[in-house]
Amino acid sequence: MIARLLVLFSLFIVAPVFAQAPDPISGATQALDQASAEFNAIDSAFNERTSPAERQALLDRATAVKKASDAQITVLGDQLGMIDARIAQLGPVPTGITEASDIRAQRRLLANQRSTVDSAIKRGKLLGVEADQLVGEITESQSDAFSERMSERVASPLTPSFWEPLIHSLPRDGRRVSLFLKVEANALRSGIANGGLPSAFVGFIVAVLLIGPARSLLKRVGRRYVIAHVPGSRIRRSGLALWLVAVGVLLPGLASVALVEGLRSAGMIAPAWESVARSFQRVTFVAALISALGGALLQRGQSSWRLLPISDESAAGLRPWTFAATGVVIASVLLTAIREAAGASGPATAATDSASAVLDIGLILGVLVTIGRLRTRAMRVHGEDRTDQAGVAFFALAAWAVLVIAVVALLAGYISLAYLLSRSLVWVTVVAGALYLSLIATDDICSSLFAREGRLATVMHDGFGLRRSLVDQLGVALSAGLRLAMIVVAAGFVFRPFGSNVTTLFGEIGRIAQGVTIGEITISPGAILRSGAVLLVGLFIVRSSQRWLTSRYLPATELDAGARNSISMVARYTGLILAVLWSLASLGIGVERIALLLSALSVGIGFGLQAITQNFVSGLILLAERPVKIGDLVRIGDQEGDVKRISVRATEIQIADRSTLIVPNSELITKTIRNMTLADPIGRVQLKFSVPMGSDIRQVREMALAIFHEAPAVLDTPAPSIFIDSIVDGRININGFAYVRSPRDVYGTKSEILFHLLDRLPAAGIELGTTPQQFQFIGHIPPAAEGEPVGS
């Protein structure tokens, strides 16, 4: 009873707060109503007669409706969770007990609110599905309209049927163009009469300053800065290229904006010419991009700054075509804009499209012929050229094929198709150039910013304890991710003329990002990132626990080193398994599915995978316990070499003749091997020789030790030593030892010591000999036959 009173009291306390605050349920419901009304308006406006521009606007509006419905569903879902929590707080209706009227009223209120929110969520989901379907219909209609436009055919320009309608409509089109020009001339005279000339003059002066002195000054400043402050690496070239492109695009574009705004503020642009003015501003940015990319990539006369692997002659031969492409693009776009604004007839439209296609085809033909001529000259003079043969050949072949198709389509009367193909070649070349520069610059910037010896790596290493190699790896991974994103964006721009766009492309990517269902498991990029983060956290915990166990806890016990190592390894593998299971669980893969997979694997093992599994487990043992590690010098049977690689199946050992010995891991675990660098990496040089009795043995010892000490590879610690091994048959047997840094140095050091020993001791009058070899025959020896010498 007291608990119910407390619940009732809390509801009375919270109720005024909810009454005073804005009701999110009502706001979300109203937003859904507005989105529904917008959807109905879009659905009514969309039909087969909708123009391409109107279709794009409707597509954007439908996409906005879908996003709005999803957002309101999220808000309502949160409110539904809060209502369910309050209902759970009230508890079930008690049996046989009459509740207080206030609690019953609160139950009814919460039930009504829950019904309202649930209905709104269902309505929002339905609206989202309908909006998604409408987006698909609009997109499909865009593709259908594009296909219809590409399949539209007129008379061939080679036949009189193409020119006769144009000649007949020429007077009417001439009057329209004349009237269109007269409207702008009247606007200019009116602007001058009304005192707008100063504004236009200021806009003109600003445009001239931006496109002339300012652009030249900023280019020089950028070049001086990268020479003085940017390190001498690839980033200097790519950074300068980026700066040149930015300056070359922004300043001419801003100059066009200043010129048009000056004329507009002076009242010198007629309303009919507004579309032409906007087209002029847009095409200025595109034309400036073409010119700036050509200058930044070709770097005519400055081969040390050039990013493209081409010669100075090739750069000088291709640079004029970038200016020609700039002029062709400007002329084509302005011609189309004036034609549409003036309301030209159908024959005039076909003629202007044909002229634009001819300009583009001529431009592409000139570039391809120039490239072929330059390559031929380079092959004749130098025997080869510096360009990528496969890449240039593929580009040239594809361009020639598209060019031939465009010419055939133009001559056959498919003007729109020819115009699209020729313009797409120019557009793809521009996008490819921008993508090439972006990829190189991104990789250079990431490589320099996250360099191992760079400032950021030093800060991360000193401040957070990160290894410099990890910072370097982060730079490589970030560069790969950014470049992949750039390739996706470039693909969207490339396919935009074919009825696609970047928004639609990223919409598809967004839908993929929501998750891909495989069987009963839904895997999304977010889940993958979450699983990776969980795995990293788990590995960090395992590593920290391992470090504490080996450095703090186990040394405090009375266990021997072998027991400590076993406990440490078991703890490590247990932690790794738990971390992997935790990561898989966060990915949505349950333990039962993992168990099912292991069961299936055990069945496979039972049917013939024992050897593979044995090598696999042996490889894990080698990688964990490291009885043999990469770089060790080992001997297996009569083979000796360096361990180069340890995989989960086999170990690769490079022997003396530079060949590779591949040994199954189970051989290294179950067989006896000799690891000469496992416990102590130093090597031992042993010398055995003899001197006659009566020799000055102390002189022999001092000379031998001096020879040991003079060898550069011999270590001072442990110190070389000389021993008398035995005295046999009137000779003193000497046994000497010296130590070198690695067993790999033993053979060469021993040879060097023997050279000096054989040179100095005989020069001092000391006879050298070898230690005697004794043979002992055990067993019955039959008597020699008559006439046969003994020992034959």
Side-chain angles (χ1 to χ4, degrees), residues 108-182:
R108 287 193 298 270
L109 176 62
L110 292 176
N112 293 333
Q113 287 181 345
R114 193 185 191 287
S115 177
T116 302
V117 172
D118 186 60
S119 300
I121 290 176
K122 293 178 180 177
R123 186 159 60 94
K125 290 182 178 179
L126 180 60
L127 178 62
V129 172
E130 291 177 345
D132 201 13
Q133 292 176 351
L134 183 59
V135 168
E137 291 177 6
I138 297 175
T139 304
E140 185 177 357
S141 69
Q142 286 180 327
S143 301
D144 294 340
F146 172 78
S147 301
E148 183 179 356
R149 189 171 67 254
M150 290 302 100
S151 60
E152 182 181 358
R153 182 182 182 185
V154 298
S156 172
L158 300 179
T159 61
S161 300
F162 178 84
W163 298 101
E164 288 177 358
L166 179 62
I167 295 174
H168 288 309
S169 63
L170 192 59
R172 184 171 64 253
D173 290 327
R175 288 192 299 269
R176 291 176 179 176
V177 173
S178 177
L179 180 60
F180 186 68
L181 296 176
K182 187 179 295 184

Side-chain angles (χ1 to χ4, degrees), residues 515-536:
V516 178
T517 301
I518 303 175
E520 298 180 356
I521 303 174
T522 300
I523 300 177
S524 64
I528 295 175
L529 292 177
R530 182 172 62 251
S531 176
V534 168
L535 181 61
L536 290 178

Side-chain angles (χ1 to χ4, degrees), residues 21-40:
D23 187 4
I25 298 176
S26 300
T29 305
Q30 293 175 3
L32 284 177
D33 293 338
Q34 295 175 359
S36 180
E38 174 70 5
F39 172 79
N40 293 330

Side-chain angles (χ1 to χ4, degrees), residues 555-578:
T557 64
E558 296 181 356
L559 299 173
D560 57 15
R564 295 178 192 175
N565 184 68
S566 299
I567 294 174
S568 175
M569 288 299 170
V570 170
R572 177 186 179 187
Y573 281 106
T574 303
L576 290 176
I577 293 173
L578 292 177

Side-chain angles (χ1 to χ4, degrees), residues 604-682:
I605 292 173
F607 281 98
L609 299 180
Q610 296 93 337
I612 296 177
T613 306
Q614 183 181 10
N615 289 323
F616 176 77
V617 175
S618 300
L620 296 180
I621 295 174
L622 289 175
L623 294 174
E625 296 184 358
R626 306 182 73 188
V628 174
K629 59 182 181 297
I630 295 176
D632 283 349
L633 180 64
V634 298
R635 177 182 288 273
I636 301 177
D638 59 346
Q639 299 292 337
E640 179 179 302
D642 297 318
V643 178
K644 292 299 182 181
R645 182 173 179 267
I646 300 176
S647 63
V648 294
R649 191 196 66 83
T651 298
E652 298 178 5
I653 301 173
Q654 189 178 57
I655 58 180
D657 61 356
R658 312 306 293 176
S659 61
T660 300
L661 183 68
I662 300 176
V663 182
N665 289 330
S666 59
E667 295 287 326
L668 301 178
I669 296 297
T670 60
K671 300 295 180 63
T672 300
I673 65 171
R674 181 184 178 188
N675 190 338
M676 290 175 280
T677 57
L678 176 62
D680 195 347
I682 66 175

